[in-house]
Amino acid sequence: MYIELVKYPDVFLRFVSKDVPFPLDDKTSRLIKWMEKAMYQHHGIGLAAIQVGYQLRMFVMDCTRSQENPQVFINPVIVKNSEETLTDFEGCLSAPGKRGEVKRYLRITLKYQDKEGEEHTKTFYNLEARCIQHEMDHLEGKLCIDYEKGEYSRDKHKSQTMVESDFRVKSDT
Ligand SMILES: [Zn+2]
């Protein structure tokens, strides 16, 4: 079945997500499967919970495009980053046809929990590092299209037209 994503300019994408409590309940476990399915269905390499209508601090990622190795990151925090950055264009499944020019760290170290609540600290490079920083922005209600010439722009964020979210209503029925 087709999974609908929350799309720009829906104001829901601007909400700050909340910590995921452990142990995971059945609903959250099912949501993770659902997010993986949505990511593959829409041919993305990463997807945050907010993009399928849940204000939770977690995202899935698979930069291999093999659709065989989805990773889930719950309550993630970037604890270290490289000095080196790279500015490049990024797209987002929630903003089809648009792109932003975003400066990202080439290397980041992420602390996160897995499905069992186990804590991990791992370093990621290049595309994975960029993807994680993109998803981390989603947890704060930021989008790659808010960036201008590499830098985050509050003004651009504010100027983006917002519409009331009707996603929740639709997805509950
Ligand atoms: Zn995105």
Side-chain angles (χ1 to χ4, degrees), residues 80-104:
K80 228 164 86 184
N81 59 260
S82 59
E83 298 254 317
E84 313 93 290
T85 58
L86 181 71
T87 300
D88 202 353
F89 286 95
E90 272 174 35
C92 179
L93 295 178
S94 289
K98 294 178 176 291
R99 52 185 206 161
E101 195 178 7
V102 188
K103 185 163 78 182
R104 302 287 192 198

Side-chain angles (χ1 to χ4, degrees), residues 51 92-93 134 138:
Q51 295 179 272
C92 179
L93 295 178
H134 176 112
H138 274 301

